[in-house]
Amino acid sequence: LVELPVDLPEGTARVLLVSTLNLLPGTVSVQLRGDSLCLHVLDARLPVAAEVRAAQARIARLWREAP
């Protein structure tokens, strides 16, 4: 299990993050509590933290660009 920080606003942005991360091979979102996300990762050698940061950045851009 890997604990990672979540910097997105509560609500739909976080739901989108969790749903997106579940699509990554070898990862399953276990729990989202406060500003922390727990992921089950099959291979800890994978760059999961970097992928999560990249996904958060993309989602954050979507929210900033929304009308």
Side-chain angles (χ1 to χ4, degrees):
L1 296 176
V2 177
E3 291 279 337
L4 299 166
V6 177
D7 299 324
L8 295 169
E10 291 185 16
T12 309
R14 289 184 183 205
V15 171
L16 180 58
L17 175 66
V18 169
S19 298
T20 301
L21 296 178
N22 284 333
L23 297 173
L24 293 175
T27 63
V28 175
S29 300
V30 175
Q31 185 175 40
L32 178 61
R33 184 183 309 170
D35 291 333
S36 180
L37 173 64
C38 181
L39 285 178
H40 180 270
V41 180
L42 289 179
D43 188 349
R45 296 172 295 174
L46 295 174
V48 175
E51 291 176 3
V52 170
R53 284 191 304 271
Q56 285 193 82
R58 288 184 190 105
I59 293 168
R61 280 195 303 270
L62 287 172
W63 257 245
R64 281 194 300 267
E65 293 173 6

